[in-house]
Amino acid sequence: MDTEPPSAPTNLHGWDAGDRAWEINLFWTQPVDNQTPQASIVYEVYMTGVLDHITTGGRAILYATQAGANMFTVIAVDEAGNKSAPVSVTIVSQ
């Protein structure tokens, strides 16, 4: 039974695409897990504390709901449902 969470994603960063639609491009370095292959780890992506979507890989495109500072959080989830520690970054949308 897998009870160990994956390591947390690292190097979380991103930017506003500058398209006046508040398109945010997020990138992170994918973590590892003791049982789940890296390609099978999924990521919960939160915007200002609300789950925006779930994705795979080390990239996400989101649309901020407001101009100004928005906090984005990424959590890695392995196949057993174990969750990593959250990592966050604040990005300012124009």
Side-chain angles (χ1 to χ4, degrees):
M1 182 168 156
D2 182 6
T3 58
E4 186 176 324
S7 58
T10 57
N11 195 30
L12 178 61
H13 64 284
W15 60 83
D16 183 320
D19 59 1
R20 298 188 187 252
W22 304 331
E23 179 182 312
I24 306 297
N25 292 276
L26 286 179
F27 300 89
W28 57 88
T29 302
Q30 295 177 284
V32 294
D33 185 68
N34 66 327
Q35 292 188 28
T36 301
Q38 192 175 49
S40 297
I41 295 173
V42 297
Y43 302 91
E44 295 178 346
V45 182
Y46 294 81
M47 182 170 41
T48 54
V50 177
L51 180 62
D52 187 80
H53 68 278
I54 297 174
T55 189
T56 58
R59 178 174 193 257
I61 297 174
L62 302 96
Y63 291 88
T65 57
Q66 62 186 20
N70 289 280
M71 186 181 341
F72 299 91
T73 302
V74 177
I75 299 172
V77 183
D78 68 15
E79 291 177 322
N82 300 309
K83 295 183 179 188
S84 73
V87 292
S88 298
V89 64
T90 298
I91 298 173
V92 177
S93 299
Q94 303 295 325

